[in-house]
PDB file of all heavy atoms in Angstrom:
ATOM      1  N   TRP A 205     -14.594  16.621  13.362  1.00 94.00           N
ATOM      2  CA  TRP A 205     -15.435  16.459  12.175  1.00 94.00           C
ATOM      3  C   TRP A 205     -16.133  15.097  12.138  1.00 94.00           C
ATOM      4  O   TRP A 205     -17.145  14.937  11.452  1.00 94.00           O
ATOM      5  CB  TRP A 205     -14.646  16.703  10.883  1.00 94.00           C
ATOM      6  CG  TRP A 205     -13.429  15.865  10.644  1.00 94.00           C
ATOM      7  CD1 TRP A 205     -12.139  16.174  10.984  1.00 94.00           C
ATOM      8  CD2 TRP A 205     -13.366  14.600   9.971  1.00 94.00           C
ATOM      9  NE1 TRP A 205     -11.285  15.170  10.580  1.00 94.00           N
ATOM     10  CE2 TRP A 205     -12.009  14.205   9.944  1.00 94.00           C
ATOM     11  CE3 TRP A 205     -14.328  13.780   9.377  1.00 94.00           C
ATOM     12  CZ2 TRP A 205     -11.588  13.008   9.363  1.00 94.00           C
ATOM     13  CZ3 TRP A 205     -13.921  12.578   8.791  1.00 94.00           C
ATOM     14  CH2 TRP A 205     -12.557  12.214   8.797  1.00 94.00           C
ATOM     15  N   GLN A 206     -15.642  14.133  12.910  1.00 92.00           N
ATOM     16  CA  GLN A 206     -16.342  12.857  12.997  1.00 92.00           C
ATOM     17  C   GLN A 206     -17.685  13.007  13.711  1.00 92.00           C
ATOM     18  O   GLN A 206     -18.621  12.254  13.459  1.00 92.00           O
ATOM     19  CB  GLN A 206     -15.484  11.824  13.741  1.00 92.00           C
ATOM     20  CG  GLN A 206     -14.345  11.245  12.913  1.00 92.00           C
ATOM     21  CD  GLN A 206     -14.819  10.213  11.921  1.00 92.00           C
ATOM     22  OE1 GLN A 206     -15.214  10.523  10.821  1.00 92.00           O
ATOM     23  NE2 GLN A 206     -14.783   8.958  12.312  1.00 92.00           N
ATOM     24  N   VAL A 207     -17.778  13.968  14.623  1.00 92.00           N
ATOM     25  CA  VAL A 207     -19.043  14.187  15.326  1.00 92.00           C
ATOM     26  C   VAL A 207     -19.829  15.332  14.688  1.00 92.00           C
ATOM     27  O   VAL A 207     -20.858  15.749  15.216  1.00 92.00           O
ATOM     28  CB  VAL A 207     -18.809  14.488  16.827  1.00 92.00           C
ATOM     29  CG1 VAL A 207     -18.045  13.359  17.480  1.00 92.00           C
ATOM     30  CG2 VAL A 207     -18.084  15.811  17.032  1.00 92.00           C
ATOM     31  N   SER A 208     -19.344  15.822  13.536  1.00 89.00           N
ATOM     32  CA  SER A 208     -19.994  16.957  12.864  1.00 89.00           C
ATOM     33  C   SER A 208     -20.430  16.627  11.446  1.00 89.00           C
ATOM     34  O   SER A 208     -20.592  17.515  10.616  1.00 89.00           O
ATOM     35  CB  SER A 208     -19.035  18.154  12.829  1.00 89.00           C
ATOM     36  OG  SER A 208     -18.581  18.493  14.119  1.00 89.00           O
ATOM     37  N   GLY A 209     -20.576  15.327  11.145  1.00 82.00           N
ATOM     38  CA  GLY A 209     -21.032  14.952   9.814  1.00 82.00           C
ATOM     39  C   GLY A 209     -20.172  13.929   9.118  1.00 82.00           C
ATOM     40  O   GLY A 209     -20.503  13.457   8.034  1.00 82.00           O
ATOM     41  N   ARG A 210     -19.013  13.598   9.676  1.00 78.00           N
ATOM     42  CA  ARG A 210     -18.116  12.593   9.117  1.00 78.00           C
ATOM     43  C   ARG A 210     -17.824  12.812   7.636  1.00 78.00           C
ATOM     44  O   ARG A 210     -17.320  13.850   7.245  1.00 78.00           O
ATOM     45  CB  ARG A 210     -18.671  11.186   9.389  1.00 78.00           C
ATOM     46  CG  ARG A 210     -18.498  10.776  10.821  1.00 78.00           C
ATOM     47  CD  ARG A 210     -18.951   9.368  11.089  1.00 78.00           C
ATOM     48  NE  ARG A 210     -20.378   9.309  11.347  1.00 78.00           N
ATOM     49  CZ  ARG A 210     -21.012   8.230  11.778  1.00 78.00           C
ATOM     50  NH1 ARG A 210     -20.344   7.113  11.983  1.00 78.00           N
ATOM     51  NH2 ARG A 210     -22.308   8.258  12.011  1.00 78.00           N
ATOM     52  N   SER A 211     -18.194  11.876   6.793  1.00 76.00           N
ATOM     53  CA  SER A 211     -17.844  11.958   5.372  1.00 76.00           C
ATOM     54  C   SER A 211     -18.534  13.102   4.644  1.00 76.00           C
ATOM     55  O   SER A 211     -18.153  13.447   3.527  1.00 76.00           O
ATOM     56  CB  SER A 211     -18.173  10.629   4.672  1.00 76.00           C
ATOM     57  OG  SER A 211     -17.385   9.586   5.189  1.00 76.00           O
ATOM     58  N   ASP A 212     -19.566  13.697   5.262  1.00 82.00           N
ATOM     59  CA  ASP A 212     -20.247  14.832   4.646  1.00 82.00           C
ATOM     60  C   ASP A 212     -19.454  16.139   4.809  1.00 82.00           C
ATOM     61  O   ASP A 212     -19.796  17.141   4.180  1.00 82.00           O
ATOM     62  CB  ASP A 212     -21.642  15.017   5.264  1.00 82.00           C
ATOM     63  CG  ASP A 212     -22.602  13.922   4.821  1.00 82.00           C
ATOM     64  OD1 ASP A 212     -22.298  13.222   3.839  1.00 82.00           O
ATOM     65  OD2 ASP A 212     -23.655  13.763   5.469  1.00 82.00           O
ATOM     66  N   VAL A 213     -18.425  16.132   5.657  1.00 87.00           N
ATOM     67  CA  VAL A 213     -17.608  17.324   5.883  1.00 87.00           C
ATOM     68  C   VAL A 213     -16.519  17.400   4.814  1.00 87.00           C
ATOM     69  O   VAL A 213     -15.783  16.425   4.600  1.00 87.00           O
ATOM     70  CB  VAL A 213     -16.962  17.292   7.286  1.00 87.00           C
ATOM     71  CG1 VAL A 213     -16.092  18.531   7.513  1.00 87.00           C
ATOM     72  CG2 VAL A 213     -18.035  17.192   8.366  1.00 87.00           C
ATOM     73  N   GLU A 214     -16.412  18.526   4.135  1.00 89.00           N
ATOM     74  CA  GLU A 214     -15.409  18.708   3.087  1.00 89.00           C
ATOM     75  C   GLU A 214     -13.992  18.607   3.652  1.00 89.00           C
ATOM     76  O   GLU A 214     -13.748  18.946   4.818  1.00 89.00           O
ATOM     77  CB  GLU A 214     -15.592  20.061   2.398  1.00 89.00           C
ATOM     78  CG  GLU A 214     -16.882  20.196   1.609  1.00 89.00           C
ATOM     79  CD  GLU A 214     -16.895  19.325   0.364  1.00 89.00           C
ATOM     80  OE1 GLU A 214     -15.791  18.993  -0.136  1.00 89.00           O
ATOM     81  OE2 GLU A 214     -17.982  18.968  -0.109  1.00 89.00           O
ATOM     82  N   PHE A 215     -13.056  18.175   2.811  1.00 90.00           N
ATOM     83  CA  PHE A 215     -11.685  17.945   3.260  1.00 90.00           C
ATOM     84  C   PHE A 215     -11.058  19.198   3.882  1.00 90.00           C
ATOM     85  O   PHE A 215     -10.439  19.120   4.942  1.00 90.00           O
ATOM     86  CB  PHE A 215     -10.816  17.460   2.099  1.00 90.00           C
ATOM     87  CG  PHE A 215      -9.369  17.291   2.467  1.00 90.00           C
ATOM     88  CD1 PHE A 215      -8.978  16.277   3.331  1.00 90.00           C
ATOM     89  CD2 PHE A 215      -8.405  18.149   1.954  1.00 90.00           C
ATOM     90  CE1 PHE A 215      -7.644  16.112   3.683  1.00 90.00           C
ATOM     91  CE2 PHE A 215      -7.070  17.994   2.307  1.00 90.00           C
ATOM     92  CZ  PHE A 215      -6.696  16.977   3.162  1.00 90.00           C
ATOM     93  N   ALA A 216     -11.221  20.348   3.257  1.00 91.00           N
ATOM     94  CA  ALA A 216     -10.635  21.575   3.789  1.00 91.00           C
ATOM     95  C   ALA A 216     -11.179  21.888   5.179  1.00 91.00           C
ATOM     96  O   ALA A 216     -10.450  22.376   6.055  1.00 91.00           O
ATOM     97  CB  ALA A 216     -10.900  22.745   2.845  1.00 91.00           C
ATOM     98  N   GLU A 217     -12.458  21.603   5.391  1.00 93.00           N
ATOM     99  CA  GLU A 217     -13.071  21.833   6.700  1.00 93.00           C
ATOM    100  C   GLU A 217     -12.570  20.811   7.717  1.00 93.00           C
ATOM    101  O   GLU A 217     -12.387  21.133   8.889  1.00 93.00           O
ATOM    102  CB  GLU A 217     -14.594  21.770   6.568  1.00 93.00           C
ATOM    103  CG  GLU A 217     -15.357  22.132   7.832  1.00 93.00           C
ATOM    104  CD  GLU A 217     -15.241  23.599   8.226  1.00 93.00           C
ATOM    105  OE1 GLU A 217     -14.585  24.372   7.491  1.00 93.00           O
ATOM    106  OE2 GLU A 217     -15.789  23.958   9.267  1.00 93.00           O
ATOM    107  N   GLN A 218     -12.324  19.587   7.267  1.00 93.00           N
ATOM    108  CA  GLN A 218     -11.731  18.582   8.149  1.00 93.00           C
ATOM    109  C   GLN A 218     -10.373  19.054   8.669  1.00 93.00           C
ATOM    110  O   GLN A 218     -10.076  18.937   9.866  1.00 93.00           O
ATOM    111  CB  GLN A 218     -11.566  17.252   7.406  1.00 93.00           C
ATOM    112  CG  GLN A 218     -12.859  16.559   7.042  1.00 93.00           C
ATOM    113  CD  GLN A 218     -12.614  15.263   6.292  1.00 93.00           C
ATOM    114  OE1 GLN A 218     -11.482  14.758   6.234  1.00 93.00           O
ATOM    115  NE2 GLN A 218     -13.657  14.700   5.709  1.00 93.00           N
ATOM    116  N   VAL A 219      -9.565  19.580   7.762  1.00 94.00           N
ATOM    117  CA  VAL A 219      -8.240  20.074   8.148  1.00 94.00           C
ATOM    118  C   VAL A 219      -8.367  21.202   9.162  1.00 94.00           C
ATOM    119  O   VAL A 219      -7.664  21.228  10.181  1.00 94.00           O
ATOM    120  CB  VAL A 219      -7.452  20.544   6.910  1.00 94.00           C
ATOM    121  CG1 VAL A 219      -6.133  21.194   7.333  1.00 94.00           C
ATOM    122  CG2 VAL A 219      -7.181  19.373   5.965  1.00 94.00           C
TER     123      VAL A 219
END
Side-chain angles (χ1 to χ4, degrees):
W205 57 267
Q206 284 283 86
V207 303
S208 305
R210 286 184 275 189
S211 296
D212 288 344
V213 179
E214 294 291 336
F215 176 69
E217 186 68 2
Q218 292 179 12
V219 174

